[in-house]
Amino acid sequence: MLQKIRNKSGSVVIKIILAIIGASFVVFGIADVVRIMMATPPIAKVGGAKITFQDFYTRYHNTINELSRQHRGAVPPQLLEKLPMTVAEAMVKEAATDSEMERIGIVASKSLVANAIKAIPQFCSDGKFDPALYQNQLRAYGMTPRAFINNMSKQLRLQQMFAPMVDGAHISETYLNILVNTMVENKVFDIAFIPENCVEVPTPSEKKLKKYLEKNKEQYTVQEERVIEICILRYDDIKKTIPVSDEEIAAETAERRETSVAQEKRTVHRFICKTESSGEAVKQILLKRVSVNEALKQNPDAKLETIGSIGRGVLPKSVEDSVFSLGENESFGPILMNGSYVVYVVSEITSEAVQQSNNKVSADELRADIQGRKLPVLLDEMKNQMEDALAEGKSFAELKQNFPVEVLSDVPANPNSDSLKTFGSDITAAIIAAASSLEEGADSTLDFDGMSVMIRLAKVIPQHVPPFDDIAEKVTADWAKSTKQRLEIEWCSNNFTEALRDSKMWDDTVKKTKCTSQTLSVSAVDLIGGKVSQNLFSSNDLNGLMLLKKNQIEFKVAIDGRVVAVRVNRVERNAASVLREGNAAQESNIREKVSSGFTSEIATLAEQSIRNLYNVKIREDSINKVRALGHDE
């Protein structure tokens, strides 16, 4: 088994490296990605695991890049239409396999993983594993040893999972010969495009349209929508209402006249976490009064930044008051800042004498400073009172009668909501994420820089198929398109009857029916290698056409929806083929690749069977959010 791993490890490394490169390119520096990732629920739950929108988007983006390469930047819209579900299905299959491996106890020991990594040629120098080269290779691709080892462990566990199924699998010599010969063939197809108006689509009855809708109702299903109420408490508005007496201003003025004052300084650190749950985990560990380094060890996914020994005026005002109210080894947070959840912690408090500025400060500035110091206490009191009122059954509208708040009603919880767009992308994403986990009638409070936002789930509009009258126009158009294709295929069958019987009649049939035509030359080797770039047929259709014999005719629906007749004009020996007469080593190599493809197909079928066992439902509303990012255009 280990020898097999060594033989395949080079290709495994390339796949993992490419995947990580794609992920790094996608994740960093794209604001829209962060916004939608935070707001979108997991696309599916498999066993005890969730497939997050972040992981789905990374995979989707990499697939788009590969398709763009194959089609020279012009990916057919028909391929893109089904791509989100195709990618999601692939991820569900993988997650189901992972869950099944965990259930039955398939593991990859540390020694097995280490030996497999040491056998990878890219990490070897003079035939021996080179630790420095290993580290440099990973660093060059922005990868950590932990991530690479985890991926390698997964590959090894997959091999153990499917080895019993594929090791004994055998493809017959006869079928192997057919496939090998096909690999070195170049087929030239004649393609006839039928005239645009060769068929007339009848006017459908309402009964027929409703029957079509019933048969294809998944195509018209509207996903669940959540509608929320929002109550906004803006700190600046509250601050302005805080009363400040003349005596307080006078006392503040006298205090500032001192030429030297003792300024308190704090050594501040902050943990930056990707999720709120990760921030809460950091907070719970810090409550045990452990050091920041120890807290980081227990939460390696968090990022630790040491701000240093600072006085007031360095941190944002909304954070500063909270941080300077902390004692040593106390923490504050997590709070949402710039798309991350941040936990502040004070490790040391010192004081030093500083020279105070002699610049005069106006009464308005003094009043604002005093109000800023009073604000945190007032905010806590006000929030508690509002939460008590909500617990007693008060509505947001009733809160507005007693508190200086702004209330928004009937707000759709989605990124395209006009009401939510006014908050900015980060806050919008957090609101949508919170709304997705609420029960109807429940509320939640979110704290941001400069304001607190309370949300209440007003109603949930369940997934449904709209009434026929509301979508009759679209159903009619779809029925017409489907019917036109069916009639066009029948037209092809009727008009190409002679050509089907006698290949010599092809040219006469094309001329008589006024079809336009073209030729298409396809090499099986190029097709398998993803080097065929044309926008007429999908890869699956091309694979099927490659199995046709000379002069065989078939009718197909092209990617752009046109119906075409396809004939194999001639079969050529591929001049560029690696398989040449007398080159036994090259022929053996091709035969091994074909056999590997056969066993891979067995593993694919097994993976599908495991996916069926888990009966996973994919959230179409989540996967379709990927279109909002615009990377499928």
Side-chain angles (χ1 to χ4, degrees):
M1 187 70 184
L2 185 57
Q3 186 59 42
K4 288 185 180 180
I5 293 168
R6 287 175 176 155
N7 291 339
K8 298 178 182 178
S9 57
S11 62
V12 170
V13 134
I14 291 170
K15 288 177 182 177
I16 295 175
I17 285 175
L18 288 175
I20 302 275
I21 290 172
S24 300
F25 178 77
V26 170
V27 168
F28 298 104
I30 306 176
D32 283 341
V33 176
V34 175
R35 170 174 60 82
I36 295 183
M37 280 182 178
M38 290 179 58
T40 307
I43 70 166
K45 295 180 182 179
V46 184
K50 296 179 180 178
I51 301 177
T52 66
F53 182 79
Q54 292 94 319
D55 291 338
F56 166 70
Y57 175 73
T58 299
R59 180 73 160 269
Y60 177 85
H61 184 90
N62 290 340
T63 306
I64 287 287
N65 286 343
E66 178 60 21
L67 286 173
S68 181
R69 183 189 67 79
Q70 292 179 17
H71 294 272
R72 298 179 182 178
V75 185
Q78 292 81 0
L79 287 182
L80 292 172
E81 183 66 28
K82 297 180 180 179
L83 190 61
M85 182 57 74
T86 301
V87 172
E89 275 290 351
M91 297 185 73
V92 167
K93 289 178 184 177
E94 292 172 8
T97 302
D98 285 346
S99 183
E100 189 67 7
M101 288 192 294
E102 183 176 345
R103 186 185 71 82
I104 62 181
I106 293 180
V107 297
S109 66
K110 291 182 179 179
S111 60
L112 180 64
V113 175
N115 288 335
I117 291 176
K118 289 177 181 178
I120 295 173
Q122 286 91 337
F123 300 150
C124 294
S125 178
D126 296 328
K128 293 183 179 180
F129 178 72
D130 186 338
L133 180 60
Y134 169 66
Q135 294 285 349
N136 289 338
Q137 288 275 21
L138 296 188
R139 193 176 300 112
Y141 289 106
M143 300 165 62
T144 65
R146 174 183 295 180
F148 184 80
I149 289 170
N150 287 342
N151 277 284
M152 180 60 74
S153 175
K154 179 178 179 179
Q155 294 294 326
L156 296 175
R157 289 187 294 122
L158 282 171
Q159 290 188 23
Q160 294 181 62
M161 178 78 170
F162 296 118
M165 304 177 200
V166 301
D167 281 353
H170 177 70
I171 183 172
S172 71
E173 190 68 18
T174 301
Y175 190 48
L176 179 60
N177 288 336
I178 293 173
L179 291 177
V180 170
N181 287 332
T182 301
M183 291 247 336
V184 298
E185 289 175 347
N186 194 72
K187 290 192 175 179
V188 179
F189 298 97
D190 288 328
I191 302 171
F193 300 87
I194 69 173
E196 180 65 28
N197 299 315
C198 64
V199 298
E200 184 177 346
V201 179
T203 301
S205 65
E206 184 174 309
K207 180 179 179 180
K208 186 172 289 188
L209 290 174
K210 288 182 176 179
K211 185 177 180 180
Y212 178 84
L213 171 59
E214 179 61 28
K215 184 179 179 181
N216 301 278
K217 60 183 178 182
E218 289 186 3
Q219 180 180 341
Y220 303 96
T221 299
V222 177
Q223 300 304 316
E224 175 188 281
E225 182 176 28
R226 291 175 168 245
V227 179
I228 58 176
E229 292 181 285
I230 301 176
C231 181
I232 309 163
L233 187 65
R234 301 187 189 276
Y235 299 164
D236 282 346
D237 294 342
I238 308 249
K239 179 180 173 181
K240 294 173 183 177
T241 66
I242 298 175
V244 177
S245 65
D246 293 340
E247 289 77 11
E248 288 175 305
I249 293 177
E252 183 75 12
T253 302
E255 183 178 343
R256 296 196 180 202
R257 287 199 187 102
E258 297 292 333
T259 58
S260 180
V261 298
Q263 184 188 67
E264 188 176 80
K265 303 188 77 173
R266 281 167 160 70
T267 301
V268 180
H269 315 266
R270 64 180 178 185
F271 288 86
I272 301 175
C273 307
K274 293 181 180 179
T275 64
E276 186 175 12
S277 59
S278 177
E280 289 291 350
V282 170
K283 180 67 176 291
Q284 292 304 314
I285 291 172
L286 291 172
L287 289 175
K288 299 176 182 178
R289 301 300 180 98
V290 302
S291 68
V292 290
N293 289 328
E294 179 61 30
L296 182 62
K297 286 181 182 179
Q298 298 186 39
N299 289 271
D301 291 337
K303 180 182 178 182
L304 174 63
E305 289 184 356
T306 298
I307 299 174
S309 180
I310 59 172
R312 286 184 176 271
V314 176
L315 298 173
K317 191 64 178 176
S318 58
V319 172
E320 179 181 273
D321 291 334
S322 298
V323 169
F324 274 80
S325 68
L326 299 175
E328 287 189 350
N329 296 319
E330 290 183 350
S331 57
F332 159 67
I335 58 172
L336 182 65
M337 299 183 71
N338 299 323
S340 299
Y341 290 88
V342 181
V343 178
Y344 286 88
V345 58
V346 173
S347 62
E348 185 180 17
I349 300 176
T350 59
S351 16
E352 61 181 28
V354 295
Q355 192 70 27
Q356 191 78 352
S357 170
N358 290 323
N359 292 337
K360 292 184 178 181
V361 181
S362 69
D364 289 340
E365 291 175 309
L366 292 174
R367 181 177 289 102
D369 287 346
I370 296 169
Q371 288 172 328
R373 291 199 297 270
K374 290 182 176 183
L375 179 62
V377 175
L378 181 61
L379 279 177
D380 286 342
E381 292 177 357
M382 191 172 292
K383 287 180 186 178
N384 289 335
Q385 292 171 3
M386 291 172 65
E387 288 174 358
D388 289 344
L390 291 175
E392 294 171 1
K394 301 290 186 182
S395 67
F396 281 3
E398 289 173 311
L399 286 184
K400 189 175 181 180
Q401 297 175 4
N402 300 306
F403 299 94
V405 296
E406 177 185 352
V407 174
L408 304 176
S409 301
D410 296 323
V411 179
N414 67 67
N416 297 319
S417 167
D418 291 337
S419 296
L420 291 184
K421 285 180 181 178
T422 61
F423 290 103
S425 59
D426 289 342
I427 295 177
T428 294
I431 290 173
I432 294 173
S436 68
S437 61
L438 289 178
E439 297 290 337
E440 194 165 329
D443 50 66
S444 178
T445 300
L446 304 172
D447 291 323
F448 303 105
D449 186 11
M451 67 178 172
S452 290
V453 175
M454 292 181 174
I455 64 172
R456 172 171 284 176
L457 184 59
K459 61 182 175 181
V460 177
I461 303 173
Q463 176 178 291
H464 67 285
V465 177
F468 172 77
D469 290 344
D470 292 350
I471 56 173
E473 185 175 345
K474 177 171 175 52
V475 173
T476 303
D478 293 342
W479 177 89
K481 179 180 178 181
S482 174
T483 303
K484 185 172 185 288
Q485 288 182 351
R486 177 177 58 79
L487 293 175
E488 287 176 341
I489 290 175
E490 291 177 2
W491 183 92
C492 278
S493 180
N494 294 333
N495 285 275
F496 278 79
T497 301
E498 292 298 324
L500 287 169
R501 286 200 297 263
D502 183 355
S503 61
K504 295 178 182 179
M505 299 295 295
W506 172 270
D507 291 338
D508 290 341
T509 302
V510 170
K511 184 176 181 180
K512 182 178 66 175
T513 56
K514 299 182 180 180
C515 291
T516 56
S517 63
Q518 71 173 60
T519 59
L520 174 66
S521 179
V522 180
S523 160
V525 174
D526 288 343
L527 179 60
I528 292 172
K531 296 178 182 178
V532 177
S533 297
Q534 55 82 41
N535 296 329
L536 190 56
F537 299 115
S538 68
S539 295
N540 285 339
D541 281 341
L542 279 174
N543 284 328
L545 291 173
M546 290 300 291
L547 297 177
L548 296 179
K549 296 179 181 180
K550 183 179 178 180
N551 292 325
Q552 280 190 307
I553 297 176
E554 191 166 307
F555 308 126
K556 288 282 185 184
V557 178
I559 287 176
D560 61 6
R562 291 182 292 175
V563 173
V564 298
V566 184
R567 178 187 73 151
V568 181
N569 181 302
R570 63 186 181 274
V571 180
E572 302 170 336
R573 191 75 167 180
N574 189 350
S577 170
V578 295
L579 181 56
R580 304 266 172 76
E581 188 175 349
N583 193 340
Q586 294 288 13
E587 180 173 355
S588 176
N589 183 41
I590 285 186
R591 286 179 176 274
E592 182 180 347
K593 288 182 178 179
V594 173
S595 295
S596 296
F598 176 74
T599 55
S600 295
E601 183 65 22
I602 294 175
T604 299
L605 292 172
E607 190 178 41
Q608 180 63 44
S609 298
I610 293 172
R611 185 254 188 271
N612 293 341
L613 285 175
Y614 278 77
N615 193 28
V616 178
K617 182 179 180 182
I618 296 174
R619 288 192 60 149
E620 292 190 36
D621 56 332
S622 290
I623 66 173
N624 286 331
K625 291 282 181 65
V626 78
R627 301 191 187 283
L629 299 178
H631 293 287
D632 56 353
E633 296 178 356

